[in-house]
């Protein structure tokens, strides 16, 4: 850090010019990021993906299907609309409700637009189809790609809404913290540089990897909050050091002290983000990658650009003073800390009871993969999909594709007998509604009947195409319709059982139930490793940093308790339907993302607070004094930093995309609990109760050796 401090102080002008050039280049690339985002990120390279590739490429099934929904529209308009869409040349086939009466009702009908497996930009396809349909009332395009495009649009609007709410309030908090306009806007500058630069880097990476549309909200949410937090801590320490020397000396000392804390805090956040990489689902990979990029940029800008700007500003950092800082402003916090440590047991019990009450709803938490309900109800693609779901019962069933491989193929008599056997095994399951094979589609009852039919030229001509539709060399494709939705536990359990079933054939399963089952299983199989990596790594980092065994254990336990309370409150708000929200479910990604992010973020405040306590204890060896002084000297900065984090993430409560709303609210609640109940009540109370044993280390050189000074 000494080398970095010398480098920054000597070359601050070159650092600023380099950052300006870098920012300009990244801003140019960042403009293209929204257009590269597609899908919700719930993708994994499992059995489902391989089966669907076989189904599409080998058996000529649609790679994707979208729906044109018609409400109170006459047959002529349906025909004209479908003709206009067909002229675009983007569909592989179209199923019209005028030809298939299962798609038609008097007031509501829908056409299925099928797409092959050719590489297409489905966002552009959606735009072209909507243009072809025009503004005709009663006609709406919906389906996966249409909904994804609308979520992308909603996410961009949400980002503007959240920042329009959060940034002005954050500036007000900074004004109260620093008292001057210039000092208050510097952290905002660092945050903007961090986020835009991160967007530019993600755009460059987006050419090689698929990026989820949720990246657009989560990355700026995290980047702005962290950058402003880091800058707040850095500038606060700089202003203290500025009273003791010149600008360059103050910056140099701040880099060596606050800069080290910033790097340490970033490492804690990195651990949480890196742990998410263990879950092989695209959305976690995206958020982990994007998060590590934005954290890296936040650290880099905080320890290079920020000190360079402070040197360049000089005394102008205090220009346009609005609020005069209070002399001895820490006295009130000192009085508060003394009151807390006088009744540590009572305060600890009260705090734990409050957190325990908040945890109660966790037992009822219902996790689901975000689907149509991620999109606001104001979008036609959602309301029209829900309409045909209700009218035609699309959500009451789900499709599964079974690929069975048999050495020797399926076309000879033995293969046909095996096919019938597999069909009977599938049909025998109570959850199975329809099984499609060459026998069921061709209305043939037995192998002998099929053999005799194929000896008749006319019948052979009619039945031969079925072979190509269902059989390809050693592979047999059997579509199965389940009498349960793809998100139901029954459907997921069925595909899980059949994927592991011991049979005479090599079976592979695809379809929505299999997709959901793989996502759930991947998360549950890896979540233990994720939590273990975060907790164990954090423990050793804190143990080394504070030369203590008890402090890291307490920090981890308090974090787990605080996060459990957070999830309970989320269930109360979103799942039970309070504060004007419709009762729903919690997005499957929320516990993992909120835990991984907040565990690291909360350590930021833990490190800052305990470091000052450790500094005092190393001088006085008086645990009570160290506790009071640490709380008194850091509470203003920690409270301001927490308020900014709460405001910038909590602003997403006023947005419409539900998973992003839940993540923002979850982080805001967790930080609020951490900065109040945990940091102001539990930490000082437990520090008092454990006394000098807080600083005990059974091996190595701990501060406490079992004797008071």
């Amino acid at each position: 850090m000494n080398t970095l401090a010398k480098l920054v102080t000597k070359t601050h002008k070159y650092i600023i010019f380099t950052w300006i050039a870098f920012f300009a280049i990244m801003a140019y690339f960042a403009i293209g990021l929204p257009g590269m985002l597609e899908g919700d990120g719930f993708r994994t390279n499992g059995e489902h993906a391989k089966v669907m590739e076989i189904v599409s490429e080998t058996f000529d099934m649609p790679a994707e299907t979208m729906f044109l929904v018609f409400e109170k529209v006459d047959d002529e308009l349906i025909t004209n609309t479908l003709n206009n869409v067909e002229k675009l040349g983007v569909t592989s086939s179209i199923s019209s409700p005028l030809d298939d009466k299962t798609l038609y009702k008097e007031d509501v009908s829908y056409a299925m637009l099928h797409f092959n497996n050719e590489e297409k930009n489905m966002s552009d396809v959606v735009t072209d189809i909507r243009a072809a349909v025009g503004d005709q009332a009663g006609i709406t395009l919906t389906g996966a790609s249409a909904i994804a495009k609308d979520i992308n649009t909603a996410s961009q609007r949400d980002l503007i809404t959240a920042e329009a709410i959060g940034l002005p309030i954050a500036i007000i908090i900074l004004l109260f913290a620093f008292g001057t306009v210039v000092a208050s806007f510097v952290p905002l500058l660092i945050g903007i540089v961090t986020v835009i630069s991160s967007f530019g880097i993600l755009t460059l990476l987006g050419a090689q990897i698929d990026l989820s549309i949720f990246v657009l909200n989560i990355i700026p949410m995290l980047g702005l909050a962290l950058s402003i937090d880091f800058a707040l801590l850095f500038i606060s320490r700089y202003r203290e050091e500025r009273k003791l020397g010149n600008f360059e000396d103050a910056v140099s000392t701040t880099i060596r002290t606050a800069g080290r804390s910033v790097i340490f805090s970033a490492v804690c956040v990195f651990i949480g983000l890196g742990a998410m990489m263990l879950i092989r689902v695209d959305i976690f990979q995206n958020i982990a990658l994007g998060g590590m990029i934005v954290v890296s940029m936040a650290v880099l800008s905080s320890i290079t650009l920020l000190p360079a700007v402070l040197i360049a500003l000089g005394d102008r950092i205090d220009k346009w003073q609005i609020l005069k800082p209070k002399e001895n402003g820490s006295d009130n916090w000192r009085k508060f800390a003394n009151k807390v440590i006088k009744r540590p047991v009572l305060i600890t019990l009260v705090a734990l009871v409050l957190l325990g009450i908040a945890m109660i709803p966790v037992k009822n938490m219902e996790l689901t993969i975000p689907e149509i309900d991620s999109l606001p109800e104001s979008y036609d693609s959602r309301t029209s999909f829900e309409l045909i779901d209700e009218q035609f019962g699309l959500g009451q069933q789900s499709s599964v594709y079974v690929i069975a491989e048999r050495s020797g193929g399926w076309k000879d008599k033995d293969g046909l007998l095996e096919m019938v056997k597999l069909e009977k095994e599938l049909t025998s399951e109570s959850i199975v509604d329809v099984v499609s094979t060459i026998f069921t589609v061709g209305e043939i009852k037995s192998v002998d009947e099929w053999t005799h039919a194929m000896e008749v030229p006319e019948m052979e001509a009619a039945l031969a195409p079925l072979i190509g539709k269902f059989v390809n060399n050693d592979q047999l494709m059997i579509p199965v319709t389940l009498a349960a939705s793809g998100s139901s536990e029954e459907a997921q359990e069925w595909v899980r059982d059949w994927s592991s079933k011991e049979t005479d054939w090599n079976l592979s399963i695809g379809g929505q139930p299999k997709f959901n089952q793989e996502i759930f299983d991947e998360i549950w199989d890896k979540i233990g490793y994720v939590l273990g990596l975060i907790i164990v790594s954090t423990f050793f980092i804190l143990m080394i940093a504070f030369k203590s065994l008890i402090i890291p254990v307490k920090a981890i336990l308090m974090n787990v308790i605080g996060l459990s309370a957070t999830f309970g409150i989320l269930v109360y708000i979103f799942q039970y339907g309070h504060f004007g929200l419709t009762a729903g479910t919690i997005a499957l990604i929320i516990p993992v993302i909120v835990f991984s992010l907040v565990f690291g973020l909360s350590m930021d405040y833990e490190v800052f607070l305990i470091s000052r306590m450790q500094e005092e204890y190393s001088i006085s060896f008086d645990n009570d004094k160290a506790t009071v002084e640490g709380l008194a000297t850091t509470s203003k900065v920690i409270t301001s930093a927490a308020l900014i984090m709460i405001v910038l993430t909590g602003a997403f409560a006023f947005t419409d995309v539900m998973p992003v709303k839940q993540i923002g609210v979850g982080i805001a609640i967790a930080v609020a609990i951490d900065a109040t109940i945990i940091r102001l009540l539990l930490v000082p109370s437990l520090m008092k109760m454990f006394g000098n044993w807080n600083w005990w280390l059974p091996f190595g050189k701990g501060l406490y050796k079992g004797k008071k000074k």
Side-chain angles (χ1 to χ4, degrees):
M1 296 303 292
N2 288 330
T3 303
L4 176 63
K6 291 178 182 178
L7 178 65
V8 172
T9 53
K10 290 182 179 180
T11 63
H12 68 276
K13 291 182 180 179
Y14 297 104
I15 290 173
I16 292 174
F17 291 144
T18 301
W19 269 102
I20 291 173
F22 179 73
F23 175 78
I25 295 171
M26 291 300 101
Y28 171 78
F29 287 110
I31 296 172
L33 181 63
M36 302 181 68
L37 307 178
E38 58 181 36
D40 55 15
F42 282 93
R43 290 186 295 266
T44 183
N45 294 323
E47 187 176 316
H48 162 78
K50 296 174 182 177
V51 167
M52 297 313 293
E53 183 177 355
I54 294 172
V55 166
S56 175
E57 295 183 357
T58 303
F59 295 99
D60 201 28
M61 297 287 286
E64 182 178 342
T65 297
M66 286 195 286
F67 311 98
L68 267 179
V69 181
F70 303 97
E71 296 181 62
K72 298 179 180 179
V73 172
D74 59 45
D75 292 357
E76 182 179 357
L77 185 54
I78 292 175
T79 300
N80 292 336
T81 300
L82 295 181
N83 286 338
N84 291 336
V85 172
E86 189 173 14
K87 289 177 183 177
L88 295 174
V90 295
T91 59
S92 58
S93 63
I94 297 176
S95 299
S96 169
L98 302 181
D99 300 327
D100 185 347
K101 295 306 178 182
T102 62
L103 312 178
Y104 188 93
K105 289 188 177 181
E106 185 176 352
D107 293 329
V108 180
S109 59
Y110 67 96
M112 295 193 294
L113 311 182
H114 303 298
F115 301 87
N116 57 26
N117 58 351
E118 293 179 3
E119 291 293 330
K120 286 188 177 73
N121 186 322
M122 293 307 294
S123 178
D124 292 342
V125 170
V126 170
T127 300
D128 292 341
I129 294 175
R130 285 175 170 168
V133 172
D135 298 328
Q136 181 64 50
I139 305 178
T140 306
L141 179 67
T142 187
S145 291
I147 292 168
K149 184 176 180 64
D150 287 344
I151 291 178
N152 195 337
T153 301
S155 296
Q156 295 181 51
R157 292 179 180 175
D158 282 356
L159 180 59
I160 295 171
T161 299
E163 304 310 344
I165 295 171
L167 287 178
I169 300 176
I171 291 172
I172 293 172
I173 296 171
L174 288 169
L175 284 170
F176 276 98
F178 294 134
T180 69
V181 173
V182 174
S184 302
F185 273 87
V186 170
L188 182 61
L189 169 67
I190 300 302
I192 292 173
V193 169
T194 295
V195 172
I196 298 300
S197 299
S198 300
F199 274 176
I201 296 172
L202 280 171
T203 303
L204 295 175
L205 292 176
Q208 283 75 43
I209 60 175
D210 294 329
L211 294 175
S212 164
I213 53 182
F214 294 131
V215 167
L216 192 64
N217 294 118
I218 294 172
I219 299 310
M221 181 196 303
L222 177 62
L224 276 175
L226 268 181
S227 298
I228 294 177
D229 263 16
F230 288 164
L232 176 63
L233 299 177
F234 195 97
I235 294 174
S236 296
R237 185 60 184 260
Y238 165 75
R239 296 179 98 186
E240 290 180 20
E241 299 298 331
R242 178 66 186 88
K243 298 174 183 178
L244 306 176
N246 59 36
F247 304 122
E248 293 186 1
D249 289 341
V251 165
S252 181
T253 302
T254 304
I255 291 175
R256 291 195 300 270
T257 54
R260 184 179 286 107
S261 296
V262 165
I263 293 174
F264 183 86
S265 299
V267 169
C268 291
V269 179
F270 246 83
I271 291 171
L273 291 166
M276 278 199 292
M277 295 288 284
L278 296 176
I279 302 177
R280 310 303 296 179
V281 178
D282 281 4
I283 188 168
F284 295 112
Q285 305 282 305
N286 284 179
I287 292 175
L289 175 63
M292 287 190 285
I293 290 172
V294 80
V295 171
S296 300
M297 296 307 300
V299 172
L300 192 60
S301 61
S302 295
I303 62 176
T304 58
L305 176 61
L306 177 56
V309 169
L310 292 177
I311 295 174
L313 285 174
D315 286 331
R316 286 169 291 185
I317 189 72
D318 296 321
K319 194 173 182 180
W320 299 331
Q321 188 178 66
I322 295 177
L323 298 172
K324 187 176 181 180
K326 293 181 180 180
E327 297 295 330
N328 300 319
S330 61
D331 286 349
N332 290 332
W333 286 110
R334 191 170 287 106
K335 292 177 182 178
F336 173 81
N338 278 310
K339 289 181 179 179
V340 171
I341 66 172
K342 285 181 181 178
R343 301 175 181 83
V345 176
L346 176 61
I347 290 177
T348 298
L349 290 175
V350 171
L352 291 177
V353 167
L354 290 174
L355 294 174
I357 293 172
M359 289 182 203
I360 293 174
V362 170
K363 68 182 188 306
N364 298 322
M365 181 181 285
E366 182 180 349
L367 300 174
T368 58
I369 296 174
E371 295 178 337
I372 187 70
D373 55 354
S374 296
L375 190 63
E377 294 180 356
S378 58
Y379 282 79
D380 290 342
S381 57
R382 171 176 175 172
T383 55
S384 61
F385 187 89
E386 290 176 336
L387 176 64
I388 59 174
D389 184 10
E390 177 185 348
Q391 293 291 324
F392 296 91
L394 299 184
Q396 298 173 9
Q397 295 180 326
S398 56
S399 296
V400 171
Y401 298 94
V402 178
I403 299 295
E405 295 185 12
R406 176 182 179 270
S407 178
W410 298 88
K411 296 180 182 180
D412 59 14
K413 186 172 183 179
D414 289 340
L416 294 173
L417 289 170
E418 292 288 300
M419 190 186 303
V420 171
K421 180 181 177 182
L422 176 55
E423 177 191 328
K424 288 181 178 179
E425 286 193 27
L426 290 167
T427 307
S428 67
E429 300 277 356
S430 59
I431 194 176
V432 173
D433 193 7
V434 178
V435 176
S436 299
T437 66
I438 59 175
F439 295 100
T440 60
V441 175
E443 298 181 350
I444 303 294
K445 297 180 180 180
S446 67
V447 173
D448 289 337
E449 185 177 339
W450 174 274
T451 303
H452 293 318
M454 292 296 286
E455 293 174 353
V456 180
E458 293 81 0
M459 293 294 292
E460 181 185 11
L463 295 176
L466 292 178
I467 294 289
K469 186 176 181 180
F470 291 97
V471 178
N472 183 271
N473 297 324
D474 292 345
Q475 292 180 329
L476 168 68
M477 188 270 292
I478 301 181
V480 178
T481 302
L482 302 181
S485 69
S487 60
S488 67
E489 292 184 9
E490 296 85 355
Q492 292 178 43
E493 189 61 34
W494 187 86
V495 295
R496 185 183 291 110
D497 289 343
W498 271 85
S499 290
S500 59
K501 185 186 280 287
E502 293 291 334
T503 67
D504 297 332
W505 321 279
N506 181 17
L507 299 182
S508 302
I509 309 291
Q512 191 66 30
K514 183 62 179 177
F515 165 79
N516 289 341
Q517 174 254 310
E518 287 182 341
I519 296 292
F520 271 94
D521 286 358
E522 175 66 15
I523 293 175
W524 297 134
D525 289 346
K526 301 291 179 60
I527 191 64
Y529 297 105
V530 172
L531 300 182
L533 177 59
I534 293 173
I535 290 172
V536 171
S537 301
T538 301
F539 171 80
F540 282 107
I541 289 174
L542 293 180
M543 184 183 70
I544 294 169
F546 298 126
K547 298 181 175 63
S548 168
L549 186 66
I550 293 175
I551 286 176
V553 171
K554 287 191 303 180
I556 290 169
L557 288 176
M558 285 188 289
N559 266 13
V560 171
I561 292 171
L563 283 165
S564 299
T566 297
F567 296 140
I569 296 172
L570 283 178
V571 171
Y572 179 81
I573 294 173
F574 291 100
Q575 192 171 313
Y576 293 175
H578 289 92
F579 301 104
L581 294 173
T582 303
T585 58
I586 304 297
L588 182 61
I589 59 176
I590 302 303
V592 179
I593 292 176
V594 172
F595 186 97
S596 299
L597 289 178
V598 174
F599 205 93
L601 292 174
S602 61
M603 287 303 167
D604 183 8
Y605 307 135
E606 176 79 7
V607 169
F608 194 64
L609 174 60
I610 300 297
S611 293
R612 296 303 283 262
M613 292 181 181
Q614 181 190 40
E615 184 178 333
E616 177 61 34
Y617 185 82
S618 65
I619 297 172
S620 66
F621 287 91
D622 185 332
N623 181 75
D624 289 358
K625 183 180 179 181
T627 300
V628 171
E629 289 304 311
L631 194 65
T633 55
T634 62
S635 290
K636 180 182 177 181
V637 176
I638 290 177
T639 302
S640 299
L643 279 174
I644 290 171
M645 183 74 71
I646 292 167
V647 165
L648 291 176
T649 57
F652 284 85
F654 301 96
T655 59
D656 294 322
V657 178
M658 189 55 68
V660 175
K661 182 195 291 278
Q662 291 179 352
I663 290 173
V665 172
I667 293 175
I669 292 172
V671 172
I673 290 174
D674 184 82
T676 55
I677 297 177
I678 291 177
R679 216 56 57 196
L680 299 182
L681 298 178
L682 276 177
V683 168
S685 296
L686 292 174
M687 290 294 292
K688 169 65 176 179
M689 291 166 62
F690 281 94
N692 289 333
W693 288 103
N694 285 300
W695 312 102
W696 175 72
L697 192 67
F699 46 85
K701 295 182 179 180
L703 291 178
Y704 177 52
K705 301 299 183 180
K707 297 180 180 179
K708 292 183 180 179
K709 184 177 179 181

